[in-house]
Amino acid sequence: MIKASANIPCPCGSSLKYKKCCRRYHQGALAPDALTLMKSRYSAYATGNADYIIKTTHPDNSDYSEEKQD
Ligand SMILES: [Zn+2]
């Protein structure tokens, strides 16, 4: 498990630091598009932020998973 330090490289795979990348979404900013949302959910998973994953999973789409993006 990666510790959710602000200065780690963002787990979503961008070359940015976590604080410059997905952290803002974990802190409440809205992801501008589906790809960003997906990445931010991935980095939430990688940093152990289960609350964010639950919060961004819609009740009518509970089987959403990263593997299904088309
Ligand atoms: Zn990121």
Side-chain angles (χ1 to χ4, degrees), residues 56-67:
T56 56
T57 301
H58 295 292
D60 60 347
N61 194 19
S62 56
D63 61 350
Y64 175 93
S65 83
E66 273 79 5
E67 292 92 67

Side-chain angles (χ1 to χ4, degrees), residues 21-34:
C21 188
C22 295
R23 188 177 69 160
R24 73 190 77 162
Y25 307 120
H26 299 166
Q27 290 179 333
L30 280 178
D33 54 52

